[in-house]
């Protein structure tokens, strides 16, 4: 999102983004969304003329934010306003103003200024708040990575093997995939094999302090992915100060990371953070229509592919149709209150309402039929066999579904790159235009909020989206593209 004009005196962030500018595709994206050079000069000139020295002004790497440090008095004079300090009942403070002004000539260059009239600070728990109550309730104010964030973390099932019980007598094979999901089960479910070309990359976000343990990866390889050498590890790329910590250990520190990496490595084998041509996937949540404590973003963003959860039906074979996940977790899904329906999804959502109109009113959900529906797709999210903290245990969640779907997209990218093509990038328009490349899920639901939730039906639905991937069919679709 770089300016189409030359670098200027406000571009203090230039060196930080030099590597990004070297990528041709990113350069085009930056140019597409960059403000004009005259915008940067006009706003920067206004600030300097008002007494803000250029050394205090910095452009974001995308060149669409201009940041500067100033005293309250300076900003009050600049914006012709008065700031107040507001205190929430919790004791947390926030600084804001009732209104502000900018020169008329700058109105076309500025979308908004922060902090000003926005009261959007998240309320932090009081010290000493009753911990039992926090564990019972689905939290709404924790960030991903917080070990106490039960809404965002995967759900732990029974322990299969531990150092005190090293021989559980469980044989992992296709006959018991309805009880134990392994990489072999997922390959059978979605019709794909291991990647071998090493020509694509898969970046997985983990939020500090969550981190994997190499000993857990090795334990997983030894039990469920013997073709992978012990010691195989992902490439660590720190973003915004993230660290790969191992001093704090336990399921809430390693559960998410071990799950994501073990299955991504076992299914795709090769992994490195990709910065261009990226397909962005996000889990839809584990609490049905309740989302993750009311939070479903960024999965509801129309430029993200939201992934819901399915399960093999109890007692069924790995070749039988799956159903929406109703074991321990329920696939998150519903309709956005923020984002309008994207053009690529209009036909699918219209068909859903025409043929399967839910028995709810606007009191329960946004039934305007004009907003983004999610998830887009789904993958198995129950009974994953995972090595965590030296134990083999079962894990549940869309935290498992999303890496699984991502591994399949990575394998498709591998084949495209091998054919001299680019990575698929944003996939939503293509997958909605090719729904037959998915296994349609027509049973199960996503109860939550004291309701039965929505029901999986033929076609797209707000429980499992278009359904689960059929690798061979998806590969054919994407290989046919330029």
């Amino acid at each position: 999102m770089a300016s189409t004009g030359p670098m200027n005196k406000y571009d203090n962030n230039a060196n930080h983004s030099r590597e990004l500018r070297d990528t041709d595709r990113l350069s085009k994206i930056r140019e597409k969304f960059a403000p004009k050079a005259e915008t940067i000069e006009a706003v920067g000139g206004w600030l300097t003329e008002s007494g803000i020295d250029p050394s205090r002004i910095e452009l974001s790497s995308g060149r669409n934010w201009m940041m500067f440090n100033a005293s309250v008095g300076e900003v009050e004079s600049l914006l012709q306003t008065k700031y107040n300090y507001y205190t929430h009942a919790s004791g947390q403070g926030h600084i804001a103003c009732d209104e502000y002004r900018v020169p008329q000539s700058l109105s076309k260059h500025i979308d908004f200024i922060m902090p000003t009239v926005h009261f959007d600070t998240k309320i932090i728990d009081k010290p000493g708040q009753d911990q039992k109550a926090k564990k019972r309730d689905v939290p709404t104010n924790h960030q991903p990575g917080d070990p106490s964030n039960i809404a965002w973390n995967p759900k732990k099932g029974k322990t299969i093997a531990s150092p005190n019980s090293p021989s559980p007598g469980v044989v992992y094979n296709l006959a018991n995939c309805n009880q134990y999901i392994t990489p072999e089960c997922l390959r059978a479910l979605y019709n794909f094999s291991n990647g071998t070309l090493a020509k694509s990359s898969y970046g997985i976000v983990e939020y500090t302090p969550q981190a994997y343990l190499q000993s857990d990866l090795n334990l997983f390889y030894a039990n469920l992915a013997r073709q992978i050498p012990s010691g195989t590890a992902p490439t660590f790329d720190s973003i915004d100060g993230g660290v790969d910590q191992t001093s704090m250990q336990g399921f809430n520190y390693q559960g998410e990371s071990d799950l994501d990496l073990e299955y991504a490595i076992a299914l795709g084998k090769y992994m490195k953070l990709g910065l261009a041509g990226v397909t962005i996937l996000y889990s839809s949540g584990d609490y049905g229509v309740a989302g993750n404590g009311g939070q479903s973003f960024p999965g509801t963003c129309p430029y993200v592919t939201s992934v819901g959860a399915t399960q093999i039906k109890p007692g069924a074979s790995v070749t039988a149709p799956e159903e929406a996940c109703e074991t321990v977790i329920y696939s998150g899904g519903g309709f956005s209150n923020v984002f309008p329906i994207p053009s690529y999804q209009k036909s699918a959502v219209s068909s859903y309402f025409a043929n399967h109109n839910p028995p709810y009113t606007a009191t329960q959900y946004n039934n305007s039929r004009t907003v983004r529906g999610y998830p887009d797709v789904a993958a198995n999210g129950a009974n994953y066999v995972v090595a965590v903290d030296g134990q083999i245990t079962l894990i549940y969640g869309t935290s498992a579904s999303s890496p699984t779907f991502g591994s399949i997209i990575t394998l498709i990218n591998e084949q495209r790159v091998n054919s001299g093509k680019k990575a698929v990038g944003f996939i939503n328009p293509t997958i909605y235009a090719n729904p037959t490349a998915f296994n349609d899920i027509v049973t199960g639901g996503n109860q939550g909020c004291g309701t039965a939730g929505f029901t999986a039906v033929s076609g797209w639905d707000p429980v499992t989206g278009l359904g689960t991937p059929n690798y061979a069919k998806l590969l054919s679709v994407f290989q046919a593209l330029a």
Side-chain angles (χ1 to χ4, degrees):
M1 302 179 197
S3 169
T4 54
M7 305 295 265
N8 57 57
K9 57 189 174 183
Y10 309 114
D11 204 351
N12 298 326
N13 208 38
N15 291 333
H16 298 174
S17 59
R18 195 170 303 280
E19 289 185 12
L20 297 184
R21 293 199 308 276
D22 290 339
T23 303
D24 182 60
R25 180 180 295 188
L26 281 175
S27 295
K28 293 179 180 178
I29 295 173
R30 287 159 62 89
E31 291 171 6
K32 174 71 174 177
F33 294 99
K36 294 180 179 179
E38 67 176 275
T39 291
I40 296 174
E41 290 298 332
V43 177
W46 170 55
L47 292 177
T48 55
E49 290 170 6
S50 301
I52 308 298
D53 191 88
S55 63
R56 297 158 62 187
I57 305 171
E58 181 178 335
L59 275 177
S60 66
S61 59
R63 296 170 64 80
N64 48 9
W65 279 95
M66 185 170 283
M67 300 164 284
F68 65 96
N69 293 320
S71 67
V72 171
E74 287 178 310
V75 179
E76 287 181 333
S77 175
L78 179 73
L79 302 180
Q80 302 177 49
T81 189
K82 180 71 175 177
Y83 275 89
N84 296 295
Y85 187 81
Y86 298 87
T87 304
H88 186 264
S90 66
Q92 186 171 338
H94 178 70
I95 188 171
C97 60
D98 294 327
E99 60 181 5
Y100 64 94
R101 295 178 175 83
V102 298
Q104 181 67 37
S105 61
L106 292 179
S107 61
K108 65 180 180 180
H109 297 298
I110 299 174
D111 290 326
F112 55 89
I113 300 174
M114 298 177 64
T116 51
V117 297
H118 308 89
F119 282 81
D120 54 0
T121 297
K122 292 186 177 181
I123 305 302
I124 301 173
D125 293 336
K126 293 180 181 179
Q129 178 178 332
D130 180 64
Q131 296 300 306
K132 291 183 179 179
K134 288 176 65 179
K135 290 182 179 180
R136 284 195 306 270
D137 298 334
V138 177
T140 61
N141 54 354
H142 290 310
Q143 296 296 318
D146 184 341
S148 66
N149 188 346
I150 62 173
W152 290 86
N153 289 339
K155 311 306 176 283
K156 185 178 181 180
K158 69 178 181 180
T159 297
I160 302 171
S162 67
N164 297 325
S165 179
S167 302
V170 175
V171 177
Y172 306 114
N173 55 40
L174 295 180
N176 59 11
C177 289
N178 63 315
Q179 296 176 284
Y180 306 105
I181 286 290
T182 66
E184 183 183 13
C185 295
L186 295 172
R187 286 190 285 268
L189 276 171
Y190 305 134
N191 192 26
F192 68 97
S193 58
N194 279 334
T196 58
L197 299 176
K199 292 188 176 181
S200 61
S201 60
Y202 187 7
I204 294 182
V205 176
E206 304 296 347
Y207 299 94
T208 301
Q210 292 189 4
Y212 73 94
L213 295 179
Q214 186 62 51
S215 58
D216 286 340
L217 300 191
N218 294 341
L219 179 61
F220 182 83
Y221 304 152
N223 284 270
L224 294 156
R226 294 181 180 176
Q227 78 278 13
I228 301 177
S230 179
T232 299
T235 298
F236 175 68
D237 197 335
S238 175
I239 298 175
D240 197 24
V243 297
D244 186 13
Q245 70 83 27
T246 58
S247 59
M248 294 178 285
Q249 298 185 12
F251 181 82
N252 288 342
Y253 290 99
Q254 276 79 51
E256 178 76 52
S257 299
D258 283 346
L259 164 65
D260 294 349
L261 296 174
E262 286 167 10
Y263 275 82
I265 292 174
L267 298 177
K269 293 187 67 176
Y270 301 96
M271 181 179 310
K272 185 179 180 183
L273 181 64
L275 293 176
V278 177
T279 303
I280 303 176
L281 308 175
Y282 209 85
S283 56
S284 67
D286 299 342
Y287 292 86
V289 290
N292 281 334
Q295 303 180 52
S296 297
F297 183 81
T300 52
C301 174
Y303 300 107
V304 170
T305 303
S306 177
V307 185
T310 57
Q311 67 181 31
I312 296 178
K313 297 177 182 178
S317 72
V318 71
T319 59
E322 291 184 273
E323 64 183 356
C325 193
E326 296 180 324
T327 302
V328 180
I329 66 109
Y330 295 89
S331 179
F335 297 88
S336 174
N337 284 323
V338 177
F339 297 103
I341 188 169
S343 59
Y344 62 75
Q345 195 186 45
K346 282 185 177 180
S347 177
V349 173
S350 295
S351 177
Y352 169 75
F353 279 113
N355 298 299
H356 309 284
N357 193 25
Y360 304 116
T361 69
T363 303
Q364 285 83 33
Y365 80 110
N366 189 331
N367 66 348
S368 65
R369 306 189 182 191
T370 62
V371 293
R372 158 90 160 128
Y374 75 104
D376 300 298
V377 295
N380 193 284
N383 298 310
Y384 275 61
V385 181
V386 179
V388 182
D389 299 322
Q391 298 181 331
I392 303 293
T393 188
L394 295 182
I395 284 183
Y396 305 79
T398 48
S399 293
S401 310
S402 187
T404 293
F405 191 90
S407 295
I408 291 173
I409 296 300
T410 300
L411 293 174
I412 291 173
N413 282 336
E414 183 177 74
Q415 294 297 324
R416 281 180 55 84
V417 172
N418 193 51
S419 300
K421 301 178 179 181
K422 295 180 179 179
V424 296
F426 180 48
I427 66 172
N428 289 13
T430 299
I431 63 176
Y432 276 92
N434 296 275
T436 58
F438 293 84
N439 306 307
D440 196 8
I441 306 300
V442 296
T443 56
N446 61 353
Q447 64 175 272
C449 297
T451 73
F454 299 109
T455 300
V457 295
S458 59
W460 178 89
D461 57 67
V463 184
T464 59
L466 296 170
T468 60
N470 182 310
Y471 171 73
K473 291 182 178 181
L474 275 176
L475 177 62
S476 178
V477 166
F478 284 107
Q479 282 290 60
L481 301 179

